[in-house]
Structures are given as C-alpha cells and as structure tokens.
Amino acid sequence: MTMRTIPINTNGATQKKETLYDELRNECQSIDIHMRDAELEVMVKEEDAFLSIRFEKELSRMQALQASEIREFKVAFQKSLVARSTLQKSKRSQKQLFRDIKKRDQTITEQEETARATQKMQIMLSDKLKGFEQELAFVEEKHEKQRKQMIAAQERKSESEKMLFDLETGHLKPEIRSALAKNFNARLNHQKTLDKRMMDHQRELQLLELRQLKERADLEERFFEETQTQKINQSLRLIEARRYHVTEMHLEKDRLYEAKETFKISKMELIHTQEWKKLVNSHRTQIRQMRLQHQKMMKQRKAQKDGTFSGEQAPQVQPQIQITHSKKMEQQSSNDSLPMEDDDRSETSNSRLSVNSKPIKSTKLAKTSVVDEQEYYNRGSGADGMGSESQKISPEMAQLKESIVKLTLRQKEDISNLLRTQREEHDKLIGTWATRIKELESEHAVDMLRIKQAHAAELQEMINAQEREIQMEASVHETELKMLLERRLLNSVLDTVVDAIITIDPIGTIKRFNAAAEKMFGMICNHNSISSNQRLGYKSEEILEKNIRSLMPERFSKNHDEYLHNYITTGVKKVIGVGRRAYGLHKLGEEFPLHLSISEVKDDSVHLFTGIVRDMTKEVEAERQQEEAEKIKILETQKLKNQLETATNQNNDLYTMLIPAPFTKDIIVKNEKRERLGNTAQSFDNCSVLVAEFLGIPEICAAMVDNQQDQQHLEQFLEFVTEMFKECDEVISRYDAYKVETSADTLCIVTGLLTKNQKTHSIITANLAIELVSTVSKYKLKLHDQDFGVQIRIGLSTGRVNGGIIGLNGIPKHHVFGEPISTAEKLQFTSLPNAIHVSEAMFNTISAQQQQQEHKFQFKPRAVDSDLEKGKIKGKSYWLTA
C-alpha cells in the first residue's frame, strides 16, 4: 500500500481529513478482513495438516496393530510348534523311559533266569554228587563185604586144614607128629602170608576201582558243567541278539516316527501359511478402506471450504465450522486412540509453523510395513514347496515301513541261524565228551588188566619162593626129628652126628660142644705156613664153660644175654622151636651162614637150651646162585619177549650198525623179501684210514687174572672199559666217519666212505685222531692200590680202498680192503703211545686240503729207525703234533 500527500486546507482540510480518515478506516477494515481471511486460511491449512497427520497416525497405528497381530500370530504358531516339540520330546523321553524300564525289567528277568539256571545247575551237581557219594558208599560196602568174605574163606580153609592134619596125624607118635606139625605150621604160615598178599592185591584192585569210579564221576561232572555252561552262554547270546534286534527295531521305528512328525509339522506350516495369507489380505483390505475413508473425508472438507469462500457473507462462521469439524475429527480420533491425544495436540501446535509440510514419515512407515509383509508373504509362498516336500516324505515313510518289515524278517532269520549254530555246537560238545568217556573206559580196562597180570605174576613168584622155603624147612624139620630120635635112642653116639650140637644153660654158658661143632667152627687155613690139611678150630675143652657169645659175630653177641633174660623173665618164645638162619664166627674171626634150631629142656633141676647148627655155606651159595639164575632167567625171558616183539627193527638196526647207510636200505629190503643179496662191492678213489690200538688194557686184564675172586674189581674194570669205548664212539659220531670194526683193543675208522670222494676227509681224520688221543689219555683205573692208565697209538694213511659186504648168509658186515689199511696198521704198530703216526701220502693230502683253513696242523718228520725198518713202511712218515 502507498501513502499520498494531502495539501493542508482549513475548510476543506476538515473534509479532507474526514475523507482521509474514512479511507484509512476503510483500508484498516480491508486490512482487517484480509488478515481474517489469511488467518482463516491458515487455520484451515492447519486443520488440513492436522487431519493429514492424524490420518497418517491412524494408518500407522492400524499397520502397527496389524503387524502386532501378525507377530502374535507368528508367536502363537511358534509357541504351538515349541509346545508340540516339547510334547514330542516328552513323549520321546517317556517312550525312552518306558523302553529303559522294560529293558531293565528284561535284564532283571534275564539275571533271575540266569541265577535260576545256575542254581538249578548247582542243585543238579549237588544231586549228582550225592548220587556219586551213595554209589561210592555202596561200592566201599561191597568191597568191605568182599574182604570179609575173603578173610572168612581163608579162615575156613585154615580150620579145615588143621582138622585134616589132626585127623591124619592123630595116630602117629608124638615125635613124628611134632615134626609134621612144624612142617604144617610153616606151610600154614606161608599160606597166611600168601593170603595176606592176596588181600593186599584185592585192596589194590578195589582202590583202583574206586579211583576209576572217581575219575569217571569227575569226567561226567565236568561234562555236565560244560554242557550247562554252554546252555547258559547260548541263552545269553540269544538274549543279547534279541536285545540288539529290539534296539535296531526301535531305531527304525524312531526314524519312522520322526518322518511322521516332520510330515505333520510340514502340514501345520502349510495351514499356518494359508491362514497368514488370509490375515494379510484382510489387513490390506482394512488399510485400503481406511485410506478411502480418509480420502472421502478430505474431499468433503474441500467441498465445504469451497462453499465457504464462494460468498463474502458470514466470514465469521467458517472458522467455527472448521474448528467444530476438527474437534469432531479429534474426538473420533480420540475414540480410536486415546493415548495419542497429547501427541496430536503437540503436533497441531507445531503444524502452524509448517502448514504446507507433507507427511513423509507416515508414508515411509507404511512403505516399510508393506515391504515386511511382502517379505513374509514371499517366505510364506514357500508353502507350495513344503507341500512338495511333504509329498516326498510319503515315499520315504513307505520305504521306512518296508525296511522295518525286511528288518523283522532278517532278525527272524538271524535268530533261526543262531539257534541252528547253537544246536550244532551242543551236538559237537556231546560227541567230544562221549569220545573222552570211551577213551577213559578203555584206559581203565587196560590199567585193570595190567594190574591183574602183575598180581598174578607176583603171586606165582611168591608161591614158588614159598615152595622152596617149605622144602628147606621140611628138610630141617626132618633132620631135627631124626636128631631127636637118635638122641633118645642113641644118646651115646651123639658126637657122631653131622650137625653141630651145642647146649647152654640159662646164662649162656656152653655145656656141650660135639665134634661136629668143633669141625664147624674151625676153618681151613690157606696160609703157606700151615699145610692144607691142618685145621684150626676149637676143642671141646677150650670152649666149654665159656659164653656162647664167643661163637657169634659182635652185632649179635652184644644183645644175646638180654634176649635170654627176657625169655626167662617173660616166657615168650621167639626163636625157640623155630629154625632160622643166623651167622656163626670161626675161631679166626670169619663169619659163615648157618641154620640154627633151638630147643628147650626144662626139668625140675635142669634148664638147658640145645641148639642144632648146620653149616649153610653151600646152601646159601646155591640159593644165591639159584636166585641169580632165576633173575637172569626172568630177565632173559623178558628180554626174549621184547626181542621177539621188535625182531625186525633190531635186525634192521643191526644192519644199520654193521653196514654204512648207503648200503643198509637195499639189504633190509632184500632180507624182508627173502631174496639173495647181490654183489655190493664198491671202489673208493680217495679215503683216509685211522687204525688205533688201546695200550694198557692187557696189563689191567693180567692184574684181574691174578685176583679172580675180586668180583667188584672185575665189574669196575668192565664199567671203565665200557665208559671209555662209549665216549670214543660219541667222539666218532661227531665226525663224518665210519667205524669199520673194533677187535679186542684195535680200532679201524675210514673217512670219505659215507660221503664219496669227500674233499676234507684227511682233515676230518686228523681232527678225529687228535680228539681220540685227548679223550683216551684222561682215563685212569685204580685197582689194588695201583693206578692203571690207558693210552692210544694211532696210524693215519690215505689212498684208494675197496669195500663190500661180507657174510651175506649170516650176519652181513661191511669190510674195507686196500693198501691204505695195511699202511695205517704198520704206522700204528710203529707209533708211540698217545702219538699219531702219519704216512707221506696223508701228510701231502692234509697239507693240500688245509690251505684254505685258518688252523694249520703241525707235523714233525720221523727219523728212520729200527721200528720203521721192521714195519717195512714205504716212504717217509711224520708225527702229527697239533
């Protein structure tokens, strides 16, 4: 607006002033109207901005509510999934708990069954043990009855023999009857000894029977225990297999259950996605309707505003209407969301500063919400994929069901195979134990037969010995009888009897000593100072009134007085009336065997003991020779039996010992076929020969000849020679050498014969000779306080030899012939004790063969002497020193 300059006029000035004032007033009114219009327009714009912001907030609140509802929908679905998962876990844990409880119950049941089976086995074992104890008691009772029956039979036989003897001798004279009674008592004693031995044999057989019974019972018990243990182990293996099958079936069922659960969850997710789509669509519809409603309200306000400004009337009304409309909108919005009222007021006051500002924030929020929903919708659109996945699960479930069916069939087949295998193991165990029992029974039968045969042989030998002793006792008793008769009838010719008669009193003083006693207790002296017919002995005058101890060896005489005192005190007869063997003492102190029979003569005033003595030197010697002959006969019989059983092997072994191995096989085969042996002669181009002679043996034999009665030294000599030759054979066996023969004290050994044309035979022979010298030189024999030593003299030679078997129709033997044999014999003959005499050919061969050896033999040439000339040895000779 421009200001104009008004001229000052007094009269017109007033008018002009009034006009000016009116113009100013009008302008002020116009300005006021424009100000009001502007304020009204600002208010309308503020209301529009407020409504726009309110609409945006309502839209945002609705979208927030929808988003919250979608979140709650999602959370509810997730909670349902979690609840279902928790429920499934609980079901699985309950199912596993049920399975564990069932498994534990099955384990307890199995343990109880195993304990019952074990208890049953123990009960059965106890029953078997009781049965065995009953059987053992029955057998022992049977054995006791057998022993009692045998004792009763022996006693009946003894009584019957006594009765028969009384009947047979009742009419005879007392002297004859007494002599026969002694024979009868001796025979009866022998029979008692034999019966006792038979009883021992019976007891031994019974003990063997009990032991065999125990062994069989132990074997049956082990068989029963092993069978029951096998059954228990088989049932445990069957239970373990079934338990494994149940576990395997549970795993397959769990897989099927998991597949079903996955299928159900996929189905739930599909339904949830469909419901979510419906909810999203309903939210979109609500938002669309709200936007349309807001647009409609904005159009109505625009129409009202256009109608208000179309006329200039009632300028005051429009603000009120706008304010009233805004209040109604605020109330409507407050009804929708009361908590947002304060925010709306603050935003209304702030909107005056920017009336033309646009709702950018609410638009972004709406776009963001739409984007989130679109993403979730895109994720939810995968329900079709889930549907296809659920379609894939169905074949998998079918496959799992089919695998369960196959697993069931396979488990049944496994159980069937296991049962069949267990039956085979059981049958095999029964067969094995049946074989063991048969073997034990056969062993028992063999042991029983062997013991019975041994008992029969022992009894037969005992009977034979008793018969001999009975005959001896009978002869003694007959002699005593004759002596008694002669004493009564011919007391005057007492001194003419053959046997010595010595009478003593109760203190041992000799009262009678007949001529036979003088002769018996004397001796033939072999000393040069006494003639062969001169006899040294007691005279009756020398020995009478002396103690009987002087006729006894010291080991018997020192207790004789005590024996007499004991008999006189107690009256118990031990040697009186019974003939026995004893030992007497010659005058010069030499012991000799005798048979002593003591009798007692007791009268009112006389108490004497009479001893009849018979020299048993010849009889003892004869018995000893007879026993030795019987032992030799038994040994020869057993040896002959063994020889008969192994005749073929011994014959073959004999061939092997006599003949080298390359020739033995053909001879054995031809002898077995009873064919005539052909020519076995062979020629050996290069062999070494060792001839040795043992020195000192003839001297030892000569010393033994001078002492022919020294049997102990003779046995010692034989053991000495046997041990020496045995060690020499062991030395020879360590070398590749063949011992051709051993004649008396000469030895011949050939090398290069078993292994033809051997390259080192000379070295082998030299080593063998050195070791033989070392072996023989250490042997010493002490005989008659004199040391006898054995030495060896060796000759070595080499060259061509011929060999063959001689004695085809008798005992075949391989012999070797040739110049080296005679040369070695000559070298040996001209050698020295413990020296090795080597020929020139042998020396050259050893020197050639030892070129490649570290150890070298040492030789020393032998000078020509009378021995060499006597032996007619061709060429030079050497001593092998080391």
Side-chain angles (χ1 to χ4, degrees), residues 288-301:
R288 193 179 300 113
Q289 289 177 358
M290 181 176 285
R291 285 178 178 173
L292 293 174
Q293 185 178 1
H294 289 171
Q295 290 176 2
K296 186 176 179 180
M297 290 176 64
M298 293 299 290
K299 287 180 180 179
Q300 288 178 0
R301 283 186 59 81

Side-chain angles (χ1 to χ4, degrees), residues 615-795:
D615 191 352
M616 296 290 293
T617 303
K618 295 181 179 180
E619 286 82 351
V620 169
E621 181 64 22
E623 287 178 2
R624 186 187 64 79
Q625 293 177 359
Q626 184 178 1
E627 289 178 358
E628 290 181 355
E630 289 180 355
K631 290 180 181 179
I632 292 172
K633 185 177 180 180
I634 292 172
L635 293 175
E636 288 179 352
T637 304
Q638 185 66 29
K639 184 177 180 181
L640 181 60
K641 182 178 178 181
N642 296 333
Q643 288 175 353
L644 290 175
E645 292 177 354
T646 59
T648 303
N649 294 332
Q650 289 179 348
N651 192 23
N652 295 339
D653 293 340
L654 182 61
Y655 286 140
T656 305
M657 293 169 59
L658 297 175
I659 302 173
F663 311 104
T664 304
K665 185 176 180 182
D666 295 336
I667 295 175
I668 292 172
V669 172
K670 289 183 178 181
N671 281 339
E672 289 178 354
K673 294 181 179 180
R674 298 185 181 278
E675 296 179 359
R676 184 173 180 82
L677 297 177
N679 186 14
T680 59
Q682 287 188 359
S683 178
F684 302 90
D685 295 335
N686 197 1
C687 293
S688 295
V689 180
L690 184 150
V691 176
E693 182 179 3
F694 295 93
L695 305 177
I697 295 178
E699 289 77 3
I700 298 176
C701 292
M704 295 300 299
V705 170
D706 294 338
N707 297 274
Q708 293 181 357
Q709 296 180 354
D710 197 349
Q711 183 68 23
Q712 182 180 0
H713 288 169
L714 178 59
E715 294 177 355
Q716 184 180 358
F717 167 71
L718 292 177
E719 291 178 358
F720 169 77
V721 175
T722 302
E723 184 178 357
M724 183 181 67
F725 277 97
K726 181 179 178 182
E727 187 170 358
C728 289
D729 289 339
E730 291 177 356
V731 171
I732 295 170
S733 65
R734 292 197 291 269
Y735 293 89
D736 189 7
Y738 170 56
K739 184 171 71 173
V740 178
E741 61 180 341
T742 301
S743 177
D745 50 2
T746 304
L747 180 67
C748 181
I749 301 171
V750 181
T751 59
L753 185 67
L754 301 179
T755 305
K756 196 170 182 180
N757 295 328
Q758 190 180 35
K759 294 182 179 180
T760 59
H761 57 85
S762 297
I763 295 177
I764 292 173
T765 307
N767 287 325
L768 175 59
I770 293 172
E771 189 168 355
L772 284 176
V773 171
S774 175
T775 300
V776 173
S777 61
K778 67 182 182 182
Y779 277 89
K780 304 289 183 182
L781 177 63
K782 189 171 185 179
L783 191 64
H784 300 295
D785 298 330
Q786 183 178 359
D787 291 333
F788 291 91
V790 179
Q791 297 175 330
I792 189 169
R793 192 169 57 190
I794 298 176

Side-chain angles (χ1 to χ4, degrees), residues 374-632:
Q374 187 65 31
E375 289 179 357
Y376 191 75
Y377 176 76
N378 292 332
R379 291 198 303 271
S381 63
D384 296 334
M386 291 182 182
S388 62
E389 184 179 356
S390 64
Q391 291 178 359
K392 293 179 182 178
I393 292 175
S394 298
E396 184 180 356
M397 292 172 60
Q399 186 177 1
L400 288 173
K401 291 180 180 178
E402 185 178 358
S403 67
I404 289 174
V405 174
K406 291 181 180 178
L407 180 62
T408 303
L409 295 176
R410 182 176 62 79
Q411 290 178 353
K412 290 181 179 179
E413 185 178 358
D414 292 342
I415 294 297
S416 177
N417 294 332
L418 181 59
L419 291 174
R420 183 171 62 256
T421 304
Q422 291 179 353
R423 284 195 298 273
E424 292 175 356
E425 291 177 355
H426 184 67
D427 295 339
K428 184 178 179 181
L429 179 62
I430 291 176
T432 302
W433 278 103
T435 304
R436 291 184 183 178
I437 290 173
K438 289 182 180 179
E439 291 177 354
L440 182 64
E441 289 176 351
S442 62
E443 291 177 0
H444 288 174
V446 171
D447 292 342
M448 186 65 73
L449 179 61
R450 177 177 54 78
I451 290 179
K452 286 182 178 179
Q453 292 176 352
H455 288 173
E458 184 179 357
L459 289 176
Q460 186 62 38
E461 183 180 357
M462 190 173 181
I463 289 171
N464 296 333
Q466 287 181 353
E467 288 295 332
R468 292 191 300 271
E469 193 168 349
I470 287 171
Q471 292 177 2
M472 186 183 300
E473 292 288 340
S475 64
V476 173
H477 294 158
E478 290 176 0
T479 303
E480 290 177 355
L481 177 61
K482 290 178 181 179
M483 290 175 64
L484 289 173
L485 292 174
E486 290 177 357
R487 181 176 182 179
R488 287 186 176 184
L489 297 175
L490 303 171
N491 193 22
S492 61
V493 293
L494 183 62
D495 292 338
T496 62
V497 296
V498 177
D499 294 333
I501 299 175
I502 303 173
T503 303
I504 63 173
D505 61 8
I507 62 175
T509 303
I510 297 174
K511 297 298 183 180
R512 175 174 289 181
F513 197 78
N514 68 347
E518 294 177 358
K519 181 180 179 180
M520 185 179 297
F521 286 90
M523 63 175 290
I524 300 299
C525 184
N526 293 324
H527 296 289
N528 296 327
S529 60
I530 302 175
S531 64
S532 59
N533 295 325
Q534 186 176 0
R535 183 181 304 274
L536 295 178
Y538 292 106
K539 298 295 183 179
S540 60
E541 294 81 4
E542 298 178 14
I543 198 66
L544 290 177
E545 300 302 327
K546 290 185 179 180
N547 197 287
I548 193 65
R549 294 195 306 271
S550 59
L551 302 178
M552 299 179 185
E554 184 180 359
R555 62 181 182 277
F556 300 113
S557 62
K558 61 183 180 180
N559 296 323
H560 187 262
D561 291 343
E562 184 179 355
Y563 295 155
L564 283 173
H565 178 72
N566 290 337
Y567 171 69
I568 293 172
T569 303
T570 61
V572 178
K573 297 180 179 181
K574 293 184 179 180
V575 296
I576 296 176
V578 179
R580 65 187 182 91
R581 287 187 180 182
Y583 286 91
L585 189 66
H586 285 294
K587 186 176 181 180
L588 296 182
E590 185 177 353
E591 295 183 10
F592 67 97
L594 55 84
H595 184 273
L596 175 63
S597 297
I598 301 175
S599 61
E600 183 182 10
V601 178
K602 191 173 184 181
D603 203 353
D604 295 336
S605 59
V606 178
H607 190 188
L608 297 175
F609 297 95
T610 303
I612 301 174
V613 182
R614 184 163 55 89
D615 191 352
M616 296 290 293
T617 303
K618 295 181 179 180
E619 286 82 351
V620 169
E621 181 64 22
E623 287 178 2
R624 186 187 64 79
Q625 293 177 359
Q626 184 178 1
E627 289 178 358
E628 290 181 355
E630 289 180 355
K631 290 180 181 179
I632 292 172

Side-chain angles (χ1 to χ4, degrees), residues 102-123:
K102 187 175 181 181
K103 184 177 179 181
R104 184 184 62 189
D105 294 340
Q106 289 179 352
T107 303
I108 293 172
T109 305
E110 292 165 2
Q111 292 176 353
E112 291 177 351
E113 290 178 355
T114 305
R116 284 195 297 271
T118 306
Q119 185 178 6
K120 183 179 178 182
M121 183 179 71
Q122 295 295 333
I123 292 172

Side-chain angles (χ1 to χ4, degrees), residues 46-81:
E46 287 179 353
E47 289 181 356
D48 291 338
F50 172 75
L51 290 175
S52 297
I53 292 171
R54 182 180 177 184
F55 291 159
E56 289 295 333
K57 287 185 177 183
E58 289 179 357
L59 184 61
S60 298
R61 282 197 295 272
M62 181 171 287
Q63 289 176 349
L65 291 173
Q66 290 177 353
S68 175
E69 186 176 359
I70 289 174
R71 283 195 301 273
E72 291 177 357
F73 183 73
K74 293 179 182 178
V75 170
F77 178 69
Q78 293 296 329
K79 286 182 178 180
S80 64
L81 290 179

